[in-house]
């Protein structure tokens, strides 16, 4: 970002560096809350998060930022519109306009409620009692309505929330895309179910947590995880968070009767971490260094977990690594059986454990419910039954209790409304990006069969990770693949893989 002629640009960058530092502190508070903090610490932590948000909000909306932008915009208009300086001015303007409409008290209230709501959700889920969560959810919705009321330039109220996670995506565009996906997925799932293949979780057995940790570390260290810059810790819900490209933290959980939980969640979080580690070093502590979109982020985690991680070539390599560590449990499994086992299609209750094919149906349901909740077509009290009905009609599964139903996911507990769709957007983009990578890198599948990910990692870094927030996810998708968001690459990819795994009836 050096070499710029305008003195005010440096002043703007200095302010953005400070905001990036505050955001890193927020990431650290989140990491600590999810890995180390004793449960009793939640009240104090909620105040700390609210205080941090208040300071960040003041800095984000400081009149001096507006003054600097007004001064820099005519200068930036004369530059190459794709240069870092012009893009930085645009990104800061966007953030500034969004933030300054929201009163500081409301921003702090939202931060505090998000922290406390998570606590209420946890208690409700352990008791499997939605009533313990309903007030927190109503409060979140109320705060979000107040938040949305700060903006008057969105078509639909839900668009304001969606835009925070996926810039420029609108419900009017999302609904037809998701309907098209649902129409293609439902018969695909039914067809796989009718194939009648014997179902067996090839990764079920007895796997001590310590051995699992050693095994998954051995895998990801071959893919790019190094002890100097990465950490792996246990948490109740796997996640990844980075303090810049040099400090990437991923977490996982261990189920001692099922190796797939830690293995595939670590591959997933590794994909997130690799993205953060790959942002151009020049963008560290700048406005271009942050998160561009959750959908794009998710496209990277899903690519490692599913598109690469469950492919026939790579899963064969994975099995060979795991067999050395677990000869008794996995010694007798052959690569084709393993490939079939990790791609098996079976409608199930829990989203995070759902197979790759049925997974998106969980997300489509959540998106439908939260958008209707937000439109007022559905009340908070009607939500548990609406969730159960949706699970029945979309996936054909019966929900036994709230803990395995509407309360299974933390998102609404943490006030994250508008977030769920990004998972499926990630799956769509992952299929589109990977198809392009295969066109650009002949012999990629042979690399993956050897566990050699050097070329694909480099391709992802150059084409996607390095750009940070410079391009929106839609622009990046267009630049890399020449396409808009599409459903058919994902469906075609699933169909090909399930056919290869003999999980679809022949013909
Ligand atoms: Zn993810």
């Amino acid at each position: 970002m050096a070499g710029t002629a305008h003195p005010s640009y440096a002043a703007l960058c200095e302010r953005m560096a400070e905001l990036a530092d505050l955001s890193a502190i927020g990431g650290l508070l989140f990491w600590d809350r999810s890995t180390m903090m004793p449960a009793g610490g939640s009240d104090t932590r909620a105040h700390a998060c609210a205080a941090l948000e208040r300071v960040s909000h003041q800095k984000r909306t400081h009149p001096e930022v507006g003054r600097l932008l007004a001064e820099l915009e005519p200068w930036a208009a004369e530059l190459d519109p794709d240069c870092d300086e012009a893009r930085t001015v645009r990104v800061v303007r966007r953030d500034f306009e969004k933030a300054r409409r929201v009163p500081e008290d409301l921003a702090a209230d939202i931060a505090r409620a998000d922290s406390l709501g998570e606590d209420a959700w946890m208690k409700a889920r352990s008791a499997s009692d939605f009533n313990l969560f309903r007030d927190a959810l109503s409060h979140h919705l109320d705060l979000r309505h107040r938040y949305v009321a700060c903006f008057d330039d969105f078509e639909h109220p839900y668009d304001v929330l969606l835009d925070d996670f996926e810039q420029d995506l609108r419900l009017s565009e999302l609904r037809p895309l998701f309907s098209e996906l649902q129409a293609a997925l439902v018969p695909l799932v039914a067809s796989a179910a009718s194939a009648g293949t014997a179902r067996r979780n090839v990764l079920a057995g007895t796997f001590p947590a310590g051995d699992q940790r050693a095994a998954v570390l051995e895998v990801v260290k071959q893919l790019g995880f190094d002890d100097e810059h990465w950490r792996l810790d246990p948490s109740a819900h796997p996640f990844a968070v980075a303090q810049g490209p040099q400090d990437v933290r991923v977490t996982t959980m261990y189920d001692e009767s099922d190796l797939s939980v830690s293995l595939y969640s670590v591959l997933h979080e590794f994909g997130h971490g690799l993205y953060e580690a790959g942002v151009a070093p020049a963008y560290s502590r700048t406005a271009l260094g942050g998160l561009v979109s959750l959908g794009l982020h998710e496209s990277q985690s899903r690519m490692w977990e599913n598109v690469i991680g469950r492919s026939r070539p790579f899963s064969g390599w994975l099995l060979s690594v795991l067999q050395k560590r677990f000869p008794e449990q996995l010694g007798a499994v052959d690569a084709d059986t393993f490939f079939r086992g990790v791609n098996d299609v079976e409608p199930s209750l829990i989203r995070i454990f759902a197979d790759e094919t049925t997974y998106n149906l969980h997300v489509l349901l959540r998106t439908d419910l939260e958008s209707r909740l937000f439109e007022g077509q559905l009340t908070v009290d009607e939500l548990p039954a609406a969730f159960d009905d949706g699970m029945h009609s979309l996936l054909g599964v019966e929900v036994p209790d709230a803990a395995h139903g509407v309360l299974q996911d933390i998102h609404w507990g943490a006030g994250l409304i508008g977030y769920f769709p990004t998972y499926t957007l990630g799956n769509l983009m992952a299929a589109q990006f990977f198809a392009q990578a295969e066109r650009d890198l002949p012999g990629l599948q042979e690399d993956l069969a050897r566990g050699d990910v050097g070329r694909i990692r480099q391709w992802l870094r150059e084409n996607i990770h390095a750009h940070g927030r410079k391009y929106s996810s839609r622009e990046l998708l267009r630049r890399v693949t020449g396409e808009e968001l599409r459903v058919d690459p994902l469906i075609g990819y699933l169909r090909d893989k399930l056919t290869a795994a003999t999980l679809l009836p022949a013909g």
Side-chain angles (χ1 to χ4, degrees), residues 8 56 90 100 120 133 149 175 198 212 219-220 255 296 313 345 381 413 432 444 481 489-491 499 507:
S8 295
S56 302
R90 247 170 78 174
R100 79 189 180 95
F133 177 54
R175 275 189 169 143
Q212 289 193 36
V219 169
V220 289
D255 176 343
L296 190 64
V345 182
D381 290 316
Q432 293 181 263
L444 176 59
T481 68
L490 175 66
I491 296 297
T499 305

Side-chain angles (χ1 to χ4, degrees), residues 299 303 307 426-436 489-491 493:
S299 76
M303 192 178 294
V307 186
N427 287 326
L428 297 176
M429 286 191 247
Q432 293 181 263
F433 282 133
F434 194 77
Q436 186 62 43
L490 175 66
I491 296 297
Y493 146 81

Side-chain angles (χ1 to χ4, degrees), residues 237 268 298 302 305 348-356 358-364 366 387 391 395 404-405 408-411 419-420 423:
H237 294 272
H268 179 101
E298 202 61 17
R302 301 269 151 194
E305 177 192 0
S348 60
L349 273 175
I350 305 296
R351 177 187 64 85
I352 62 167
F353 300 136
D355 63 77
E356 187 186 359
T358 58
Y359 181 90
N360 291 299
L361 294 173
H362 293 256
V363 177
L364 300 185
R366 290 279 185 182
F387 182 86
M391 288 297 280
L395 285 150
H404 294 87
Q408 65 179 266
D409 276 313
I410 192 169
H411 306 63
Y419 186 116
F420 274 113
Y423 290 120

Side-chain angles (χ1 to χ4, degrees), residues 358-378:
T358 58
Y359 181 90
N360 291 299
L361 294 173
H362 293 256
V363 177
L364 300 185
L365 174 60
R366 290 279 185 182
T367 304
D368 177 56
L369 292 175
E370 67 178 17
S371 59
R372 282 166 50 209
L373 198 60
F374 212 68
E375 281 176 320
Q377 290 177 6
L378 187 71

Side-chain angles (χ1 to χ4, degrees), residues 300-313:
Q300 300 306 295
S301 56
R302 301 269 151 194
M303 192 178 294
W304 288 92
E305 177 192 0
N306 293 327
V307 186
I308 295 173
R310 295 179 205 269
S311 67
R312 176 62 183 82

Side-chain angles (χ1 to χ4, degrees), residues 68-266:
L68 288 168
L69 281 171
E71 200 183 313
L72 285 166
E73 275 163 342
W75 164 75
E78 301 295 314
L79 302 173
D80 169 1
D82 280 348
C83 75
D84 288 349
E85 289 81 1
R87 287 282 175 164
T88 297
V89 170
R90 247 170 78 174
V91 164
V92 176
R93 167 61 77 185
R94 180 187 140 83
D95 291 350
F96 179 70
E97 288 305 323
K98 279 205 97 169
R100 79 189 180 95
R101 312 262 195 103
V102 182
E104 182 189 318
D105 283 347
L106 178 58
D109 283 351
I110 287 175
R112 191 180 308 111
D114 289 357
S115 211
L116 291 173
E118 224 177 283
D119 205 38
W121 166 79
M122 260 179 231
K123 288 181 178 128
R125 197 184 63 157
S126 344
S128 193
D129 182 357
F130 183 77
N131 287 323
L132 297 177
F133 177 54
R134 74 164 308 288
D135 291 347
L137 181 57
S138 296
H139 187 47
H140 282 322
L141 285 167
D142 178 49
L143 289 169
R144 259 61 190 183
H145 279 293
R146 284 168 56 199
Y147 176 74
V148 163
C150 302
F151 302 88
D152 52 13
D153 40 0
F154 286 86
E155 218 171 276
H156 190 284
Y158 184 74
D159 288 347
V160 181
L161 305 179
L162 206 52
D163 188 80
D164 284 346
F165 301 113
E166 199 61 42
Q167 186 183 328
D168 300 333
L169 187 71
R170 302 291 175 257
L171 191 59
S172 56
E173 189 183 0
L174 189 65
R175 275 189 169 143
L177 196 69
F178 277 17
S179 305
E180 186 190 343
L181 181 61
Q182 184 173 324
L185 277 177
V186 170
L188 188 63
V189 170
S191 176
S194 73
T197 319
R199 302 192 185 287
R200 185 160 81 90
N201 179 356
V202 285
L203 289 164
T206 304
F207 299 92
D211 294 345
Q212 289 193 36
R213 178 180 152 83
V216 296
L217 274 173
E218 189 179 335
V219 169
V220 289
K221 280 184 181 174
Q222 296 236 29
L223 309 182
F225 180 112
D226 72 273
D227 290 330
E228 181 76 15
H229 303 105
W230 293 65
R231 281 187 66 90
L232 173 66
D233 294 278
S235 70
H237 294 272
F239 66 91
V241 65
Q243 304 277 301
Q246 309 297 328
D247 178 347
V248 183
R249 297 163 190 227
V250 297
T251 73
T252 190
M253 57 185 176
Y254 301 101
D255 176 343
E256 296 200 317
S257 66
D258 186 352
L259 178 60
S260 71
V261 174
S262 64
L263 176 65
Y264 281 102
S265 67
V266 167

